[in-house]
Amino acid sequence: MSFAQAILDTVMKVAEQKNAKKINAVHVAVGNLLMLNPEQLKFCFDVITKGTIAENAKLEVEVVKAKIKCTSCGKEFEEYIGICDECGGILSVEGGKEMILKRVEMEV
């Protein structure tokens, strides 16, 4: 719920700056390491937008994968497992924890 509230707070600030009358859609990118379920995030967003200019706005969620790579041999991984199963090197993680407001569609 707190992530949905953060999205709504940011969207409402943007809408206020643009003197928007209605928000139709919100597009966000979230990192996969945040472990957010897009459907649950959409449900929470729908609940908290009731009675606002964002009511009935469609929330589009793009899940962005983290880049996980061994610092020694360069092998890339889909999941963080701590150490490289190839050479025993340390894995570096880039991204995966971001939440980015990409676009807001509104009527002004």
Side-chain angles (χ1 to χ4, degrees):
M1 188 64 84
S2 62
F3 284 104
Q5 186 64 55
I7 293 168
L8 179 61
D9 291 346
T10 304
V11 166
M12 294 302 282
K13 286 179 187 173
V14 170
E16 184 179 327
Q17 291 170 354
K18 302 291 183 182
N19 294 318
K21 296 178 179 132
K22 181 167 175 47
I23 297 168
N24 296 318
V26 177
H27 302 264
V28 295
V30 295
N32 65 326
L33 297 180
L34 289 178
M35 307 292 259
L36 290 175
N37 178 314
E39 294 308 312
Q40 288 176 336
L41 183 60
K42 290 176 186 180
F43 174 80
C44 292
F45 186 78
D46 287 345
V47 169
I48 64 171
T49 57
K50 299 285 187 226
T52 71
I53 63 170
E55 187 170 359
N56 298 320
K58 185 175 183 182
L59 179 63
E60 292 289 333
V61 180
E62 171 191 352
V63 178
V64 180
K65 286 188 173 185
K67 295 176 184 163
I68 305 169
K69 188 175 182 178
C70 176
T71 57
S72 296
C73 70
K75 180 178 177 183
E76 295 183 1
F77 294 83
E78 291 289 317
E79 295 179 356
Y80 183 77
I81 58 171
I83 60 171
C84 179
D85 59 5
E86 190 83 17
C87 72
I90 297 171
L91 300 184
S92 84
V93 179
E94 185 179 313
K97 292 186 178 179
E98 63 272 16
M99 185 168 68
I100 301 166
L101 178 62
K102 294 182 84 176
R103 187 171 73 231
V104 179
E105 297 174 23
M106 62 184 100
E107 297 173 17
V108 291

